[in-house]
Amino acid sequence: MAASSFAGYAKALEAAQSSVQSYLALSQAERLPPGLVEAQAQLDECMAVLAGMESSAEQASQGNKKALRAKAARSKKEVSALEEELKRESVRLNRAELFPSPPSAPSNSGDPFDPFGAKLVDTMGSLNDTTSLLHSTQLLCSETEAVGSSVLTTMGAQREQLENANANVQETRGVTNQARVLLRRMGRRAVMNKLCLYFVIVVLIVANCLVIYYQYLKRD
């Protein structure tokens, strides 16, 4: 069961590889971006089929497992080589799109005052515009990075200030609690002092009354 499944995956891989190789066999002038997209899609299919081959090899019997693993490894190397070639081709096409090759200079018989051709001038203008745009993008990235660093520094300083403010609040709460306890003690002492004073006043009044009473008794 696993061997037949592996064979089906191998046929599908061979068909997908053939499509990619057909594209790579074309000349550079015939390798257009739509063909590259199709070749990359076929390469993705190769990757999926290769994963199925490896899974089938692991599920095979002990007698066939080693051979199927070796075949899957060889197919993986071939697919990796195709992937590298497609990457190089993608880079070439992107470079050709960004920096197109200048057209050949026309003969001077057509226009003696335009020896290099209007197309070459337009191409150079496009290159200059592209260079200016890239330079502006780099400047914008640098400014954005500087702003980000400044914001991070400001946030760090604000965080330190908040931590210090939190510490001050905690310290103030501690001092307030201590003052509250002290005020309660002072209030209790004031009440005790008032009670003692009232007691002394009462004692003095009683003593004075007794003294006056005994003086009147002695006169009588």
Side-chain angles (χ1 to χ4, degrees):
M1 182 66 179
S4 60
S5 177
F6 187 91
Y9 283 127
K11 290 182 180 180
L13 180 64
E14 184 178 355
Q17 281 180 313
S18 177
S19 298
V20 178
Q21 290 170 351
S22 298
Y23 172 77
L24 294 175
L26 298 175
S27 62
Q28 290 188 355
E30 294 174 339
R31 295 177 190 173
L32 300 178
L36 177 62
V37 173
E38 178 65 25
Q40 288 175 342
Q42 293 295 327
L43 182 65
D44 293 338
E45 184 177 353
C46 288
M47 294 293 186
V49 172
L50 187 61
M53 290 177 64
E54 292 176 345
S55 177
S56 298
E58 294 298 328
Q59 296 175 2
S61 61
Q62 293 296 330
N64 296 329
K65 182 178 292 187
K66 185 175 181 180
L68 295 180
R69 280 180 177 177
K71 187 173 182 179
R74 288 194 301 270
S75 300
K76 188 173 184 179
K77 289 182 179 180
E78 294 175 357
V79 171
S80 298
L82 293 176
E83 183 180 9
E84 291 297 325
E85 291 185 15
L86 284 182
K87 286 181 179 179
R88 288 194 294 269
E89 182 63 20
S90 177
V91 171
R92 187 189 69 80
L93 288 177
N94 290 333
R95 185 178 300 171
E97 184 177 357
L98 289 174
F99 306 104
S101 58
S104 58
S107 61
N108 295 342
S109 60
D111 188 358
F113 300 99
D114 188 13
F116 297 101
K119 292 184 178 180
L120 179 60
V121 175
D122 292 339
T123 302
M124 294 302 295
S126 299
L127 289 176
N128 291 332
D129 293 340
T130 304
T131 304
S132 299
L133 181 60
L134 290 175
H135 184 64
S136 300
T137 304
Q138 289 177 351
L139 291 178
L140 181 60
C141 290
S142 300
E143 292 177 357
T144 304
E145 184 178 359
V147 171
S149 300
S150 177
V151 170
L152 288 176
T153 303
T154 303
M155 292 179 65
Q158 290 178 352
R159 178 181 178 182
E160 185 177 356
Q161 291 177 357
L162 290 174
E163 290 177 351
N164 293 333
N166 187 24
N168 292 333
V169 169
Q170 296 296 332
E171 184 178 357
T172 303
R173 286 181 178 177
V175 172
T176 303
N177 292 331
Q178 293 178 358
R180 185 181 295 111
V181 173
L182 182 60
L183 288 174
R184 287 178 180 175
R185 290 179 182 176
M186 292 175 64
R188 287 195 294 267
R189 288 180 182 177
V191 172
M192 292 299 296
N193 290 335
K194 286 182 179 180
L195 292 177
C196 292
L197 181 59
Y198 291 153
F199 179 75
V200 171
I201 291 173
V202 171
V203 171
L204 290 176
I205 291 173
V206 172
N208 289 333
C209 292
L210 290 175
V211 170
I212 293 171
Y213 177 73
Y214 282 118
Q215 286 181 354
Y216 278 112
L217 285 178
K218 289 180 179 180
R219 288 181 183 179
D220 294 338

